[in-house]
Every structure is written in C-alpha cells, then in structure tokens.
Amino acid sequence: MKKVLIAFGMAAAIAAGTLSVSAANFWKYNDTVSIDMDEASVKHTTNGHEILNFVAVEAIEGGTCTYTYAYDRTAGTIQVVEMEKETKALHYTSNFTPTSINSTNPVIRARAQMAEAVYQRKVNHKK
C-alpha cells in the first residue's frame, strides 16, 4: 500500500511538473523516472554480498509503473523484484529473475546503469 501511495504522489507531482514533497528525497533520474532516495538502502548479506534495494516510479501514459529493484553489486546482477503497472484500464504485478548487468539486452544494461547511479548517489550522500 505504501508503494501505491508513493506512486500516486509522485505521479501527481510529475504531472504537475514539480516534486514539491521534500525535493531532497526524490531524485528525478530522467524525464519519466523518479526515485525516493529515502527508500533506497544498501545492505551487506552474511555471505558478503552488497545489495542495493530501491524503488523507481515511472510515469507512463495514463498511470504509473512502479519497480522494486535489487542490485547485487557483488554478484553483478539486477533484479526487478516487483513491477506494478497501474492505469485506469489495468492493474497488474510481475517479477523477474536476477540478470547479469553485463547482459547484451539494452533494457537490462540501462537498469544496471540506473542502479549504479542510485548506489553512487546513496553512498556519496552518507559522506
């Protein structure tokens, strides 16, 4: 439910052309994707992996697409843990398995680049 509220709030802010809710917390990655940096977290697992979890909300025609990502920097993988697409006409969720960030698929490579940018922003913000 929290993700849905964030998605609606961000979609409204994007539609209005501004992110009036604490601009320091929301990062507009590109023209259609915004990321709540307060929700982004870097964790270290017991087996030594460094994992970034974050949520990206994409404004699409008639609604939003909310992606929950897990970026395993140690294993070199990116995963869409959950994708929620919501418009007036439809609402569905899906998920995907972890994929190598070195994939030849341009969508995967773009997601990996975004994840690394979020990671750098998150880590450098803490300093």
Side-chain angles (χ1 to χ4, degrees):
M1 183 64 166
K2 183 177 179 183
K3 285 190 279 185
V4 172
L5 292 175
I6 290 171
F8 283 136
M10 289 179 69
I14 290 167
T18 63
L19 284 175
S20 60
V21 180
S22 186
N25 298 335
F26 289 97
W27 177 39
K28 190 166 171 78
Y29 177 70
N30 62 27
D31 289 343
T32 60
V33 177
S34 296
I35 298 161
D36 183 348
M37 293 304 293
D38 284 345
E39 292 289 318
S41 64
V42 177
K43 296 181 179 154
H44 294 85
T45 65
T46 55
N47 63 352
H49 285 245
E50 183 177 39
I51 299 175
L52 168 71
N53 293 293
F54 69 101
V55 175
V57 178
E58 180 179 22
I60 59 173
E61 188 174 330
T64 59
C65 207
T66 304
Y67 299 90
T68 302
Y69 288 102
Y71 172 45
D72 186 332
R73 293 186 82 237
T74 308
T77 61
I78 183 82
Q79 177 181 11
V80 176
V81 177
E82 182 179 79
M83 179 197 75
E84 181 176 21
K85 187 172 190 174
E86 191 161 6
T87 67
K88 286 183 179 183
L90 59 94
H91 179 231
Y92 70 91
T93 60
S94 187
N95 59 34
F96 302 89
T97 58
T99 305
S100 172
I101 61 172
N102 297 317
S103 169
T104 57
N105 182 325
V107 173
I108 302 299
R109 293 184 73 85
R111 287 180 177 165
Q113 289 173 342
M114 177 178 61
E116 183 60 26
V118 172
Y119 173 82
Q120 293 300 326
R121 189 172 181 95
K122 186 71 175 177
V123 169
N124 291 329
H125 186 265
K126 288 182 181 178
K127 292 181 180 178

